[in-house]
Amino acid sequence: MKERGRPREFDTGQALDQAMLVFRQKGFHAASIADLASAMNLTAGSIYKAFKDKRTLFLQVFARYTSQRNAVLRQRLQPCATGREKLAELLRFYLDSARELEGRRGCLVVGSATELQVLDDELSELVRNAVRRNKAFLVALLQQGQEDGSVSPDVNVETAAELMLCIAFGMRVLGKIENLTDREETIKLAMKLLV
């Protein structure tokens, strides 16, 4: 009796990172299994064997992407003392993410949010929850700023968080198209408008 071939061994994290680039650049629907297989250096059969289908692969990629981005953001915010400093650094983080090659790759959350109407209910809710978490995080930073006196108590934190989210996500959209200009001037202006 002939022994079946062993499944191809690969580093799952590395494969997810390669798939992440495809989903970031093309979006969920435009990313084909052939695109993913090429980027991941796997056969279509290996992808189906390891991840079941494109949707399951996307779920794992999305979870990895948001986890990695949140970890980097929190690390960047750690040295900041006040809520206002954290808000400015958060905008720098989004601005840095929107520049050059990283900007051209795009944001998986922002890209997926634009695809919401064509995603199934579970994927749509996953994306909505990621955006809600981003907004809640901004609300918390604004509240911290009000508590430490670095943000005016007159600022409506819900409205300001929504505006900051629009600015941050807008940076990611613009970064897909062109290089953004003067980093510090952008941050100063945004902080003046917001808090």
Side-chain angles (χ1 to χ4, degrees):
M1 191 166 138
K2 203 172 184 183
E3 204 176 306
R4 283 186 166 195
R6 288 184 344 159
R8 185 175 189 178
E9 291 182 21
F10 61 92
D11 180 307
T12 303
Q14 186 177 21
L16 290 172
D17 290 342
Q18 295 308 313
M20 188 184 297
L21 291 174
V22 175
F23 285 128
R24 286 175 63 191
Q25 291 169 332
K26 294 189 168 208
F28 176 74
H29 283 291
S32 69
I33 288 294
D35 295 330
L36 292 163
S38 176
M40 297 167 76
N41 198 26
L42 296 173
T43 65
S46 293
I47 290 174
Y48 286 119
K49 192 177 280 188
F51 301 102
K52 184 179 162 199
D53 55 25
K54 182 171 88 167
R55 187 180 175 286
T56 305
L57 173 60
F58 179 81
L59 287 169
Q60 289 187 34
V61 165
F62 195 88
R64 184 173 177 86
Y65 178 80
T66 54
S67 173
Q68 288 174 344
R69 295 277 301 163
N70 290 339
V72 172
L73 176 59
R74 289 184 193 284
Q75 187 176 36
R76 282 189 59 167
L77 297 182
Q78 204 168 25
C80 301
T82 67
R84 185 179 187 84
E85 288 172 6
K86 288 179 183 179
L87 291 165
E89 187 58 32
L90 179 136
L91 289 175
R92 281 187 197 92
F93 171 75
Y94 274 96
L95 194 55
D96 290 345
S97 299
R99 297 170 77 113
E100 298 164 2
L101 178 60
E102 179 66 13
R104 299 299 178 275
R105 289 177 174 159
C107 173
L108 190 58
V109 174
V110 172
S112 299
T114 62
E115 283 191 297
L116 272 182
Q117 299 305 322
V118 292
L119 295 176
D120 66 45
D121 290 343
E122 184 184 2
L123 291 180
S124 292
E125 195 56 28
L126 179 76
V127 175
R128 280 188 182 93
N129 285 337
V131 173
R132 287 179 191 126
R133 282 191 304 274
N134 286 343
K135 181 185 170 192
F137 186 61
L138 286 166
V139 166
L141 292 180
L142 287 157
Q143 288 171 335
Q144 178 187 348
Q146 286 180 330
E147 289 167 13
D148 67 30
S150 64
V151 172
S152 169
D154 299 332
V155 169
N156 179 313
V157 294
E158 289 287 324
T159 304
E162 288 171 0
L163 183 55
M164 287 193 86
L165 197 57
C166 289
I167 290 171
F169 282 10
M171 288 176 183
R172 294 308 307 262
V173 171
L174 189 57
K176 287 280 279 187
I177 300 164
E178 62 185 36
N179 280 329
L180 300 179
T181 55
D182 188 336
R183 177 180 169 205
E184 284 309 310
E185 189 58 35
T186 302
I187 302 305
K188 277 190 227 171
L189 181 57
M191 292 304 290
K192 251 188 228 181
L193 290 172
L194 295 168
V195 290

